[in-house]
Amino acid sequence: MERLQALRRILPRLIVAVAAGAGLGLAFEPHDHPWLAFLAIPLLLATLNGVSVKAGILIGAGFGIAYYAVLVPWITVIGGDAAIALAILEGLFYGVFGALATVVLKHRLWMLWIPCLWVATEYATGSVPFGGFPWARLAWAFADSPLGKLASLVGIPGLSFVIALLGVLAYAVLRRRSALSLRVVAVAAGIAIIGGSSFISLSTEGNGKTVTAAMVQGNVPGKGLEFLGRARTVTTNHLNATLDLQKMVQAGTEQKPDLVIWPENSTDIDPFKDAETRQDIEEAVKAVNVPILVGAVLDGPGPDERQTAGVVWDPVTGPGQTYAKRHPVPFGEYIPFRDQLLPYIKRLEMIGRQTVAGKVPGVMPINGVTYGDLICFELAYDNVVTDVVKGGAQVLIVQTNNATYGGTGQPEQQFAITRMRAIETGRTVLIASTSGISGVIQPDGTVEHKSGEFVRDVYVASVPVRDGNTLATTLGGWPQWILSGLGIIGVALALLARRNRKDPDPGTPPAQAPSRETVPV
């Protein structure tokens, strides 16, 4: 009976938390309402304030599950069960956040500890299991906001901290218990952060040198999970689009590129093993007479294994530098516990061979310019991006294949993440997709070109070559580590303070038991 009564008491809070989580999911593309973050976070904190740790777990998990259900519905392309499993798994991290927040909210420095805990939660979701899924970071929603400029200084984790802090400040202003002085300080701090970010100036100038690149989106014969069954057609589409590009160059209607970029999976058949695929690539390379960065699936290194790679194919020397994707997608490109799961989940057989992760960053010097190659989802992982910039990349390339998720909102979300990476690194990003979205993003996050989906698109751009690091790339992972560590310290201090309150000095009369109505649930 007591448990039922407790559940009834927290049910309104749980409903509000679920609504807040769903609202936060709408902050991101393709909905693009980032202001909802400043409503969702205060609502979540209001539901967590004053409840027990157990209730905090339930409320936080409800928030997180709703958040992911709205943010990544495109997982249903793989299966409804996969979408549910992902939402529950990631929601549990926010259940932990909810439990810890109930403790931290009672500490006098809660306004610092809460946003630090948020960063720690994003760090956890982006790290485990199987390398994590860093798709729900607050920062990704702010490419069009002045706040997004802060990513060039404090990186993606630091920007998530700032957004969470603004949510905390909003809660401090709105909650009834807040003193007038606290409300004034919170409003002033919020105005200073938002106003200050608008004065940040992001340069798009390079080191005086430019490079001309062509992004080829050849399109695919279908969409969904089975489009690559017509792999030769995909390669032929990219060959034909490249031949058309060369005709435009010869006609003088298009500038001759220094490099042509084909997307991930532009050839799903190993060109080193298949003569027809190799012939198609060499025909394209000889036609444009410049290197082509080919997105290829290569056999090996072991039996029943493959690698997703970018291969530089030169018109004179042939295939050369190769970058193998360092962060393949679990249950998309490889199957964890393959031998144990395959007998029970037959759908996993569609994945085929295991994709083996590459070992080195995609730093590729080509004709005097150093490019940093990133393949599809791995651009969401901080270490992969930081490694290529610190390795000397002057221009970033994203080779991607979004055909499986075409029309679901996933390509728009990935494009927004790419824009934030341009701001963070201060580099132009060149994006080539099999079916969209391809494009060019300038170093300040401005979109120079954005293709449609499931159309052929060839775009040639002259972009600045840039050296040096932003403050964000110089700092690397330190903001994330420090902020996460501070969040853990905050929990420890809050627990210690709570213990001290429960253990009064000898001789102190015991506190009067609270009435039944004030017992936290």
Side-chain angles (χ1 to χ4, degrees), residues 300-331:
D304 201 31
E305 292 180 339
R306 65 187 176 189
Q307 287 189 309
T308 301
V311 182
V312 180
W313 214 288
D314 188 86
V316 177
T317 59
Q321 302 172 76
T322 299
Y323 166 63
K325 188 176 187 178
R326 293 172 62 193
H327 212 295
V329 179
F331 301 104

Side-chain angles (χ1 to χ4, degrees), residues 71-310:
L71 177 66
V72 289
W74 41 267
I75 296 293
T76 56
V77 170
I78 299 173
D81 53 350
I84 293 170
L86 178 67
I88 292 174
L89 174 64
E90 302 299 335
L92 292 176
F93 286 96
Y94 288 87
V96 175
F97 171 86
L100 300 179
T102 61
V103 177
V104 167
L105 282 167
K106 298 179 176 69
H107 193 271
R108 59 189 179 89
L109 294 179
W110 65 274
M111 295 178 68
L112 170 63
W113 306 137
I114 289 293
C116 288
L117 272 180
W118 194 284
V119 173
T121 303
E122 290 190 348
Y123 190 11
T125 60
S127 302
V128 293
F130 314 121
F133 184 64
W135 211 260
R137 302 165 87 175
L138 293 175
W140 302 142
F142 286 82
D144 282 316
S145 166
L147 288 170
K149 298 177 184 179
L150 290 168
S152 66
L153 303 178
V154 293
I156 300 303
L159 179 54
S160 285
F161 170 84
V162 170
I163 296 163
L165 176 61
L166 288 171
V168 167
L169 294 174
Y171 175 60
V173 171
L174 296 173
R175 73 171 188 168
R176 286 189 226 173
R177 290 176 48 202
S178 295
L180 177 60
S181 57
L182 177 60
R183 288 180 169 142
V184 171
V185 170
V187 169
I191 292 173
I193 292 171
I194 296 172
S197 66
S198 64
F199 287 102
I200 298 174
S201 177
L202 300 178
S203 173
T204 58
E205 296 180 1
N207 58 12
K209 181 178 180 180
T210 62
V211 66
T212 303
M215 283 61 65
V216 176
Q217 177 176 304
N219 205 9
V220 298
K223 59 182 177 179
L225 290 173
E226 299 179 356
F227 79 96
L228 284 176
R230 290 163 278 184
R232 292 199 188 280
T233 303
V234 176
T235 303
T236 301
N237 286 353
H238 286 83
L239 165 63
N240 292 335
T242 305
L243 295 178
D244 288 345
L245 166 64
Q246 180 57 23
K247 291 177 183 177
M248 290 186 286
V249 171
Q250 291 175 339
T253 58
E254 193 58 85
Q255 187 177 0
K256 181 178 177 62
D258 302 306
L259 173 69
V260 174
I261 304 168
W262 283 12
E264 177 190 27
N265 293 117
S266 49
T267 170
D268 202 38
I269 304 171
D270 189 339
F272 297 103
K273 302 289 181 65
D274 185 78
E276 183 177 343
T277 302
R278 184 183 184 109
Q279 182 179 346
D280 286 346
I281 295 172
E282 290 183 342
E283 181 181 355
V285 171
K286 289 177 182 178
V288 294
N289 199 33
V290 297
I292 295 180
L293 178 59
V294 178
V297 174
L298 307 180
D299 296 339
D304 201 31
E305 292 180 339
R306 65 187 176 189
Q307 287 189 309
T308 301

Side-chain angles (χ1 to χ4, degrees), residues 428-508:
T428 299
V429 186
L430 309 173
I431 310 159
S433 172
T434 51
S435 58
I437 300 170
S438 301
V440 177
I441 301 172
Q442 296 178 8
D444 63 352
T446 302
V447 178
E448 176 180 328
H449 175 70
K450 181 180 180 181
S451 78
E453 293 186 60
F454 295 106
V455 295
R456 177 193 282 194
D457 186 86
V458 178
Y459 187 77
V460 181
S462 293
V463 300
V465 175
R466 306 194 79 185
D467 300 306
N469 292 321
T470 62
L471 178 59
T473 52
T474 299
L475 293 173
W478 282 105
Q480 183 162 250
W481 302 331
I482 291 172
L483 292 169
S484 298
L486 286 173
I488 295 171
I489 291 172
V491 172
L493 292 175
L495 287 172
L496 182 61
R498 180 182 180 183
R499 180 179 178 183
N500 290 338
R501 286 195 299 269
K502 288 185 177 180
D503 296 328
D505 293 335
T508 302

Side-chain angles (χ1 to χ4, degrees), residues 408-438:
T408 65
Q410 187 276 343
E412 286 90 345
Q413 290 178 3
Q414 185 171 314
F415 196 81
I417 292 173
T418 311
R419 291 182 63 193
M420 288 307 308
R421 289 304 189 191
I423 295 171
E424 179 189 38
T425 62
R427 297 290 189 271
T428 299
V429 186
L430 309 173
I431 310 159
S433 172
T434 51
S435 58
I437 300 170
S438 301

